[in-house]
mmCIF file of all heavy atoms in Angstrom:
data_model
loop_
_atom_site.group_PDB
_atom_site.id
_atom_site.type_symbol
_atom_site.label_atom_id
_atom_site.label_comp_id
_atom_site.label_asym_id
_atom_site.label_seq_id
_atom_site.Cartn_x
_atom_site.Cartn_y
_atom_site.Cartn_z
ATOM 1 N N SER A 685 -21.509 6.321 7.001
ATOM 2 C CA SER A 685 -21.227 7.729 6.787
ATOM 3 C C SER A 685 -22.062 8.241 5.627
ATOM 4 O O SER A 685 -22.515 7.476 4.777
ATOM 5 C CB SER A 685 -19.730 7.926 6.491
ATOM 6 O OG SER A 685 -19.437 9.265 6.177
ATOM 7 N N THR A 686 -22.257 9.546 5.589
ATOM 8 C CA THR A 686 -22.946 10.156 4.457
ATOM 9 C C THR A 686 -21.944 10.684 3.436
ATOM 10 O O THR A 686 -22.296 11.439 2.547
ATOM 11 C CB THR A 686 -23.831 11.311 4.939
ATOM 12 O OG1 THR A 686 -23.024 12.224 5.688
ATOM 13 C CG2 THR A 686 -24.960 10.795 5.815
ATOM 14 N N GLY A 687 -20.724 10.288 3.581
ATOM 15 C CA GLY A 687 -19.665 10.679 2.644
ATOM 16 C C GLY A 687 -18.477 9.789 2.886
ATOM 17 O O GLY A 687 -18.572 8.578 2.782
ATOM 18 N N ARG A 688 -17.359 10.380 3.305
ATOM 19 C CA ARG A 688 -16.151 9.614 3.585
ATOM 20 C C ARG A 688 -15.482 10.198 4.815
ATOM 21 O O ARG A 688 -15.413 11.405 4.981
ATOM 22 C CB ARG A 688 -15.197 9.677 2.387
ATOM 23 C CG ARG A 688 -13.845 8.993 2.609
ATOM 24 C CD ARG A 688 -12.982 9.126 1.370
ATOM 25 N NE ARG A 688 -11.655 8.534 1.556
ATOM 26 C CZ ARG A 688 -10.705 8.494 0.611
ATOM 27 N NH1 ARG A 688 -10.951 9.006 -0.585
ATOM 28 N NH2 ARG A 688 -9.534 7.938 0.858
ATOM 29 N N ASP A 689 -14.994 9.338 5.689
ATOM 30 C CA ASP A 689 -14.288 9.805 6.878
ATOM 31 C C ASP A 689 -13.274 8.736 7.298
ATOM 32 O O ASP A 689 -13.378 7.579 6.912
ATOM 33 C CB ASP A 689 -15.257 10.088 8.028
ATOM 34 C CG ASP A 689 -14.688 11.081 9.033
ATOM 35 O OD1 ASP A 689 -13.531 11.530 8.846
ATOM 36 O OD2 ASP A 689 -15.384 11.414 10.002
ATOM 37 N N GLY A 690 -12.313 9.188 8.111
ATOM 38 C CA GLY A 690 -11.299 8.276 8.616
ATOM 39 C C GLY A 690 -9.953 8.439 7.945
ATOM 40 O O GLY A 690 -8.960 7.847 8.355
ATOM 41 N N GLU A 691 -9.899 9.280 6.863
ATOM 42 C CA GLU A 691 -8.622 9.528 6.207
ATOM 43 C C GLU A 691 -7.754 10.409 7.101
ATOM 44 O O GLU A 691 -8.254 11.118 7.974
ATOM 45 C CB GLU A 691 -8.825 10.178 4.826
ATOM 46 C CG GLU A 691 -9.452 11.558 4.845
ATOM 47 C CD GLU A 691 -10.968 11.534 4.834
ATOM 48 O OE1 GLU A 691 -11.553 10.555 5.329
ATOM 49 O OE2 GLU A 691 -11.558 12.525 4.366
ATOM 50 N N THR A 692 -6.449 10.384 6.912
ATOM 51 C CA THR A 692 -5.521 11.116 7.784
ATOM 52 C C THR A 692 -5.502 12.598 7.484
ATOM 53 O O THR A 692 -5.087 13.404 8.316
ATOM 54 C CB THR A 692 -4.093 10.567 7.650
ATOM 55 O OG1 THR A 692 -3.688 10.657 6.279
ATOM 56 C CG2 THR A 692 -4.032 9.111 8.091
ATOM 57 N N GLN A 693 -5.955 12.993 6.290
ATOM 58 C CA GLN A 693 -5.921 14.392 5.888
ATOM 59 C C GLN A 693 -7.248 14.773 5.252
ATOM 60 O O GLN A 693 -7.800 14.015 4.452
ATOM 61 C CB GLN A 693 -4.770 14.619 4.902
ATOM 62 C CG GLN A 693 -4.486 16.088 4.594
ATOM 63 C CD GLN A 693 -3.284 16.244 3.678
ATOM 64 O OE1 GLN A 693 -3.334 15.879 2.508
ATOM 65 N NE2 GLN A 693 -2.194 16.769 4.216
ATOM 66 N N ASP A 694 -7.766 15.932 5.629
ATOM 67 C CA ASP A 694 -9.003 16.414 5.034
ATOM 68 C C ASP A 694 -8.798 16.616 3.543
ATOM 69 O O ASP A 694 -7.871 17.315 3.110
ATOM 70 C CB ASP A 694 -9.421 17.740 5.686
ATOM 71 C CG ASP A 694 -10.837 18.138 5.299
ATOM 72 O OD1 ASP A 694 -11.035 18.480 4.115
ATOM 73 O OD2 ASP A 694 -11.711 18.134 6.163
ATOM 74 N N LEU A 695 -9.662 16.003 2.746
ATOM 75 C CA LEU A 695 -9.493 16.047 1.292
ATOM 76 C C LEU A 695 -9.800 17.416 0.711
ATOM 77 O O LEU A 695 -9.428 17.709 -0.424
ATOM 78 C CB LEU A 695 -10.399 14.989 0.641
ATOM 79 C CG LEU A 695 -10.112 13.539 1.056
ATOM 80 C CD1 LEU A 695 -11.100 12.600 0.387
ATOM 81 C CD2 LEU A 695 -8.687 13.138 0.725
ATOM 82 N N VAL A 696 -10.481 18.275 1.492
ATOM 83 C CA VAL A 696 -10.824 19.616 1.018
ATOM 84 C C VAL A 696 -9.833 20.657 1.509
ATOM 85 O O VAL A 696 -9.283 21.438 0.742
ATOM 86 C CB VAL A 696 -12.260 20.002 1.450
ATOM 87 C CG1 VAL A 696 -12.578 21.430 1.015
ATOM 88 C CG2 VAL A 696 -13.270 19.025 0.867
ATOM 89 N N THR A 697 -9.567 20.636 2.826
ATOM 90 C CA THR A 697 -8.724 21.678 3.412
ATOM 91 C C THR A 697 -7.254 21.305 3.504
ATOM 92 O O THR A 697 -6.406 22.171 3.674
ATOM 93 C CB THR A 697 -9.226 22.023 4.828
ATOM 94 O OG1 THR A 697 -9.060 20.872 5.679
ATOM 95 C CG2 THR A 697 -10.693 22.422 4.800
ATOM 96 N N GLY A 698 -6.952 20.003 3.430
ATOM 97 C CA GLY A 698 -5.571 19.565 3.541
ATOM 98 C C GLY A 698 -5.060 19.485 4.971
ATOM 99 O O GLY A 698 -3.894 19.161 5.201
ATOM 100 N N THR A 699 -5.919 19.782 5.959
ATOM 101 C CA THR A 699 -5.509 19.721 7.358
ATOM 102 C C THR A 699 -5.554 18.280 7.866
ATOM 103 O O THR A 699 -6.268 17.434 7.336
ATOM 104 C CB THR A 699 -6.435 20.593 8.225
ATOM 105 O OG1 THR A 699 -7.797 20.179 8.016
ATOM 106 C CG2 THR A 699 -6.290 22.051 7.852
ATOM 107 N N GLU A 700 -4.759 18.022 8.925
ATOM 108 C CA GLU A 700 -4.740 16.688 9.501
ATOM 109 C C GLU A 700 -6.060 16.384 10.199
ATOM 110 O O GLU A 700 -6.695 17.272 10.760
ATOM 111 C CB GLU A 700 -3.587 16.560 10.504
ATOM 112 C CG GLU A 700 -2.212 16.537 9.847
ATOM 113 C CD GLU A 700 -1.116 16.212 10.840
ATOM 114 O OE1 GLU A 700 -1.448 15.911 12.014
ATOM 115 O OE2 GLU A 700 0.056 16.255 10.456
ATOM 116 N N LYS A 701 -6.463 15.116 10.155
ATOM 117 C CA LYS A 701 -7.728 14.698 10.760
ATOM 118 C C LYS A 701 -7.489 13.510 11.679
ATOM 119 O O LYS A 701 -6.592 12.693 11.426
ATOM 120 C CB LYS A 701 -8.727 14.265 9.676
ATOM 121 C CG LYS A 701 -9.264 15.360 8.801
ATOM 122 C CD LYS A 701 -10.328 14.823 7.869
ATOM 123 C CE LYS A 701 -11.454 14.162 8.633
ATOM 124 N NZ LYS A 701 -12.509 13.660 7.750
ATOM 125 N N PRO A 702 -8.298 13.394 12.740
ATOM 126 C CA PRO A 702 -8.228 12.168 13.541
ATOM 127 C C PRO A 702 -8.751 10.989 12.740
ATOM 128 O O PRO A 702 -9.683 11.139 11.937
ATOM 129 C CB PRO A 702 -9.137 12.469 14.739
ATOM 130 C CG PRO A 702 -10.041 13.559 14.279
ATOM 131 C CD PRO A 702 -9.271 14.358 13.272
ATOM 132 N N ARG A 703 -8.143 9.832 12.916
ATOM 133 C CA ARG A 703 -8.595 8.634 12.203
ATOM 134 C C ARG A 703 -9.696 7.942 13.004
ATOM 135 O O ARG A 703 -9.915 8.237 14.179
ATOM 136 C CB ARG A 703 -7.409 7.699 11.982
ATOM 137 C CG ARG A 703 -6.274 8.373 11.229
ATOM 138 C CD ARG A 703 -4.984 7.590 11.344
ATOM 139 N NE ARG A 703 -5.005 6.392 10.508
ATOM 140 C CZ ARG A 703 -4.093 5.424 10.579
ATOM 141 N NH1 ARG A 703 -3.116 5.497 11.467
ATOM 142 N NH2 ARG A 703 -4.172 4.384 9.772
ATOM 143 N N VAL A 704 -10.400 7.027 12.343
ATOM 144 C CA VAL A 704 -11.505 6.319 12.992
ATOM 145 C C VAL A 704 -11.048 4.914 13.380
ATOM 146 O O VAL A 704 -10.645 4.124 12.516
ATOM 147 C CB VAL A 704 -12.733 6.238 12.060
ATOM 148 C CG1 VAL A 704 -13.846 5.427 12.719
ATOM 149 C CG2 VAL A 704 -13.231 7.638 11.723
ATOM 150 N N TYR A 705 -11.114 4.632 14.677
ATOM 151 C CA TYR A 705 -10.665 3.341 15.209
ATOM 152 C C TYR A 705 -11.886 2.512 15.593
ATOM 153 O O TYR A 705 -12.731 2.965 16.373
ATOM 154 C CB TYR A 705 -9.780 3.554 16.439
ATOM 155 C CG TYR A 705 -9.073 2.310 16.923
ATOM 156 C CD1 TYR A 705 -7.800 1.990 16.448
ATOM 157 C CD2 TYR A 705 -9.668 1.454 17.847
ATOM 158 C CE1 TYR A 705 -7.138 0.849 16.890
ATOM 159 C CE2 TYR A 705 -9.024 0.312 18.292
ATOM 160 C CZ TYR A 705 -7.761 0.018 17.817
ATOM 161 O OH TYR A 705 -7.096 -1.116 18.248
ATOM 162 N N LEU A 706 -11.976 1.306 15.024
ATOM 163 C CA LEU A 706 -13.133 0.444 15.276
ATOM 164 C C LEU A 706 -12.720 -0.815 16.033
ATOM 165 O O LEU A 706 -11.638 -1.370 15.790
ATOM 166 C CB LEU A 706 -13.803 0.047 13.958
ATOM 167 C CG LEU A 706 -14.346 1.195 13.090
ATOM 168 C CD1 LEU A 706 -15.038 0.637 11.860
ATOM 169 C CD2 LEU A 706 -15.299 2.088 13.886
ATOM 170 N N TYR A 707 -13.616 -1.257 16.917
ATOM 171 C CA TYR A 707 -13.354 -2.441 17.733
ATOM 172 C C TYR A 707 -14.024 -3.680 17.133
ATOM 173 O O TYR A 707 -14.885 -3.578 16.256
ATOM 174 C CB TYR A 707 -13.860 -2.200 19.162
ATOM 175 C CG TYR A 707 -13.109 -1.097 19.869
ATOM 176 C CD1 TYR A 707 -13.550 0.228 19.797
ATOM 177 C CD2 TYR A 707 -11.960 -1.369 20.602
ATOM 178 C CE1 TYR A 707 -12.856 1.249 20.437
ATOM 179 C CE2 TYR A 707 -11.259 -0.358 21.241
ATOM 180 C CZ TYR A 707 -11.710 0.946 21.152
ATOM 181 O OH TYR A 707 -11.018 1.954 21.778
ATOM 182 N N GLU A 708 -13.618 -4.827 17.634
ATOM 183 C CA GLU A 708 -14.133 -6.100 17.126
ATOM 184 C C GLU A 708 -15.660 -6.161 17.204
ATOM 185 O O GLU A 708 -16.273 -5.640 18.133
ATOM 186 C CB GLU A 708 -13.540 -7.272 17.921
ATOM 187 C CG GLU A 708 -12.060 -7.491 17.656
ATOM 188 C CD GLU A 708 -11.508 -8.690 18.428
ATOM 189 O OE1 GLU A 708 -12.331 -9.452 18.981
ATOM 190 O OE2 GLU A 708 -10.285 -8.841 18.471
ATOM 191 N N ASP A 709 -16.232 -6.800 16.181
ATOM 192 C CA ASP A 709 -17.675 -7.053 16.039
ATOM 193 C C ASP A 709 -18.476 -5.828 15.598
ATOM 194 O O ASP A 709 -19.696 -5.923 15.404
ATOM 195 C CB ASP A 709 -18.289 -7.635 17.323
ATOM 196 C CG ASP A 709 -17.782 -9.049 17.603
ATOM 197 O OD1 ASP A 709 -17.506 -9.771 16.627
ATOM 198 O OD2 ASP A 709 -17.660 -9.408 18.781
ATOM 199 N N THR A 710 -17.831 -4.683 15.425
ATOM 200 C CA THR A 710 -18.523 -3.527 14.849
ATOM 201 C C THR A 710 -18.875 -3.831 13.393
ATOM 202 O O THR A 710 -18.092 -4.441 12.669
ATOM 203 C CB THR A 710 -17.621 -2.275 14.890
ATOM 204 O OG1 THR A 710 -17.249 -2.013 16.236
ATOM 205 C CG2 THR A 710 -18.338 -1.064 14.318
ATOM 206 N N ILE A 711 -20.057 -3.410 12.966
ATOM 207 C CA ILE A 711 -20.454 -3.539 11.564
ATOM 208 C C ILE A 711 -20.199 -2.183 10.899
ATOM 209 O O ILE A 711 -20.614 -1.147 11.414
ATOM 210 C CB ILE A 711 -21.944 -3.923 11.438
ATOM 211 C CG1 ILE A 711 -22.231 -5.234 12.189
ATOM 212 C CG2 ILE A 711 -22.345 -4.031 9.964
ATOM 213 C CD1 ILE A 711 -21.476 -6.435 11.655
ATOM 214 N N VAL A 712 -19.538 -2.182 9.760
ATOM 215 C CA VAL A 712 -19.152 -0.931 9.114
ATOM 216 C C VAL A 712 -19.333 -1.032 7.606
ATOM 217 O O VAL A 712 -19.168 -2.097 7.012
ATOM 218 C CB VAL A 712 -17.680 -0.574 9.464
ATOM 219 C CG1 VAL A 712 -16.727 -1.665 9.003
ATOM 220 C CG2 VAL A 712 -17.297 0.781 8.907
ATOM 221 N N SER A 713 -19.689 0.100 6.998
ATOM 222 C CA SER A 713 -19.796 0.140 5.532
ATOM 223 C C SER A 713 -18.499 0.717 4.964
ATOM 224 O O SER A 713 -18.052 1.788 5.374
ATOM 225 C CB SER A 713 -21.000 0.981 5.098
ATOM 226 O OG SER A 713 -20.871 2.319 5.512
ATOM 227 N N VAL A 714 -17.923 -0.009 4.024
ATOM 228 C CA VAL A 714 -16.644 0.380 3.423
ATOM 229 C C VAL A 714 -16.730 0.189 1.914
ATOM 230 O O VAL A 714 -17.113 -0.892 1.446
ATOM 231 C CB VAL A 714 -15.485 -0.486 3.980
ATOM 232 C CG1 VAL A 714 -14.153 -0.070 3.361
ATOM 233 C CG2 VAL A 714 -15.411 -0.383 5.498
ATOM 234 N N PRO A 715 -16.386 1.196 1.108
ATOM 235 C CA PRO A 715 -16.387 1.017 -0.348
ATOM 236 C C PRO A 715 -15.194 0.162 -0.781
ATOM 237 O O PRO A 715 -14.171 0.102 -0.090
ATOM 238 C CB PRO A 715 -16.278 2.448 -0.884
ATOM 239 C CG PRO A 715 -15.631 3.208 0.200
ATOM 240 C CD PRO A 715 -16.054 2.581 1.481
ATOM 241 N N THR A 716 -15.333 -0.491 -1.913
ATOM 242 C CA THR A 716 -14.304 -1.438 -2.370
ATOM 243 C C THR A 716 -12.920 -0.808 -2.467
ATOM 244 O O THR A 716 -11.915 -1.438 -2.128
ATOM 245 C CB THR A 716 -14.694 -2.028 -3.736
ATOM 246 O OG1 THR A 716 -15.012 -0.953 -4.639
ATOM 247 C CG2 THR A 716 -15.896 -2.945 -3.612
ATOM 248 N N GLN A 717 -12.831 0.453 -2.889
ATOM 249 C CA GLN A 717 -11.529 1.081 -3.070
ATOM 250 C C GLN A 717 -10.849 1.443 -1.749
ATOM 251 O O GLN A 717 -9.654 1.755 -1.736
ATOM 252 C CB GLN A 717 -11.654 2.328 -3.945
ATOM 253 C CG GLN A 717 -11.982 2.022 -5.405
ATOM 254 C CD GLN A 717 -12.001 3.285 -6.268
ATOM 255 O OE1 GLN A 717 -11.282 4.234 -6.011
ATOM 256 N NE2 GLN A 717 -12.847 3.281 -7.291
ATOM 257 N N LEU A 718 -11.593 1.424 -0.649
ATOM 258 C CA LEU A 718 -10.998 1.717 0.649
ATOM 259 C C LEU A 718 -10.778 0.460 1.491
ATOM 260 O O LEU A 718 -10.130 0.519 2.532
ATOM 261 C CB LEU A 718 -11.887 2.693 1.443
ATOM 262 C CG LEU A 718 -12.118 4.077 0.830
ATOM 263 C CD1 LEU A 718 -12.969 4.940 1.768
ATOM 264 C CD2 LEU A 718 -10.793 4.771 0.529
ATOM 265 N N TYR A 719 -11.281 -0.672 1.004
ATOM 266 C CA TYR A 719 -11.210 -1.903 1.788
ATOM 267 C C TYR A 719 -9.760 -2.292 2.083
ATOM 268 O O TYR A 719 -9.407 -2.612 3.229
ATOM 269 C CB TYR A 719 -11.923 -3.036 1.047
ATOM 270 C CG TYR A 719 -11.846 -4.369 1.759
ATOM 271 C CD1 TYR A 719 -12.706 -4.651 2.821
ATOM 272 C CD2 TYR A 719 -10.912 -5.335 1.379
ATOM 273 C CE1 TYR A 719 -12.635 -5.865 3.485
ATOM 274 C CE2 TYR A 719 -10.828 -6.545 2.039
ATOM 275 C CZ TYR A 719 -11.692 -6.809 3.097
ATOM 276 O OH TYR A 719 -11.609 -7.998 3.769
ATOM 277 N N ASP A 720 -8.901 -2.248 1.085
ATOM 278 C CA ASP A 720 -7.505 -2.662 1.275
ATOM 279 C C ASP A 720 -6.695 -1.658 2.089
ATOM 280 O O ASP A 720 -5.588 -1.972 2.533
ATOM 281 C CB ASP A 720 -6.824 -2.878 -0.081
ATOM 282 C CG ASP A 720 -7.347 -4.118 -0.801
ATOM 283 O OD1 ASP A 720 -7.838 -5.035 -0.103
ATOM 284 O OD2 ASP A 720 -7.285 -4.158 -2.043
ATOM 285 N N LEU A 721 -7.238 -0.452 2.288
ATOM 286 C CA LEU A 721 -6.528 0.565 3.070
ATOM 287 C C LEU A 721 -6.785 0.414 4.566
ATOM 288 O O LEU A 721 -6.118 1.065 5.382
ATOM 289 C CB LEU A 721 -6.950 1.974 2.626
ATOM 290 C CG LEU A 721 -6.673 2.345 1.165
ATOM 291 C CD1 LEU A 721 -7.170 3.769 0.893
ATOM 292 C CD2 LEU A 721 -5.189 2.229 0.851
ATOM 293 N N ALA A 722 -7.742 -0.434 4.936
ATOM 294 C CA ALA A 722 -8.076 -0.607 6.351
ATOM 295 C C ALA A 722 -6.939 -1.289 7.094
ATOM 296 O O ALA A 722 -6.366 -2.280 6.616
ATOM 297 C CB ALA A 722 -9.361 -1.420 6.487
ATOM 298 N N GLU A 723 -6.600 -0.759 8.261
ATOM 299 C CA GLU A 723 -5.612 -1.407 9.115
ATOM 300 C C GLU A 723 -6.272 -2.418 10.040
ATOM 301 O O GLU A 723 -5.599 -3.279 10.607
ATOM 302 C CB GLU A 723 -4.852 -0.357 9.922
ATOM 303 C CG GLU A 723 -4.012 0.580 9.046
ATOM 304 C CD GLU A 723 -3.266 1.624 9.839
ATOM 305 O OE1 GLU A 723 -3.052 1.412 11.055
ATOM 306 O OE2 GLU A 723 -2.887 2.653 9.253
ATOM 307 N N ALA A 724 -7.574 -2.310 10.191
ATOM 308 C CA ALA A 724 -8.330 -3.309 10.944
ATOM 309 C C ALA A 724 -8.538 -4.548 10.071
ATOM 310 O O ALA A 724 -8.491 -4.469 8.840
ATOM 311 C CB ALA A 724 -9.681 -2.737 11.357
ATOM 312 N N GLY A 725 -8.774 -5.673 10.718
ATOM 313 C CA GLY A 725 -9.137 -6.873 9.980
ATOM 314 C C GLY A 725 -10.620 -6.858 9.703
ATOM 315 O O GLY A 725 -11.429 -6.818 10.639
ATOM 316 N N LEU A 726 -10.999 -6.847 8.430
ATOM 317 C CA LEU A 726 -12.403 -6.739 8.054
ATOM 318 C C LEU A 726 -12.892 -8.010 7.376
ATOM 319 O O LEU A 726 -12.293 -8.471 6.399
ATOM 320 C CB LEU A 726 -12.613 -5.545 7.110
ATOM 321 C CG LEU A 726 -12.294 -4.158 7.650
ATOM 322 C CD1 LEU A 726 -12.543 -3.105 6.575
ATOM 323 C CD2 LEU A 726 -13.117 -3.861 8.900
#
């Protein structure tokens, strides 16, 4: 991503957002502070 996505609520507008669902073997970039928030096994 060129920023941040996948959170349940838009950090600017406060509106609900669709979450990002990833399947096995996908390669993804995740910052350290969001790693523990993942519901997927990373």
Side-chain angles (χ1 to χ4, degrees):
S685 175
T686 55
R688 176 180 178 179
D689 204 359
E691 64 273 28
T692 58
Q693 190 177 69
D694 191 291
L695 299 178
V696 177
T697 65
T699 55
E700 289 188 5
K701 290 185 57 179
R703 303 164 75 191
V704 177
Y705 190 91
L706 300 183
Y707 295 90
E708 290 182 11
D709 292 328
T710 302
I711 303 298
V712 60
S713 62
V714 181
T716 51
Q717 291 184 31
L718 298 182
Y719 177 80
D720 290 335
L721 299 179
E723 295 180 21
L726 298 179

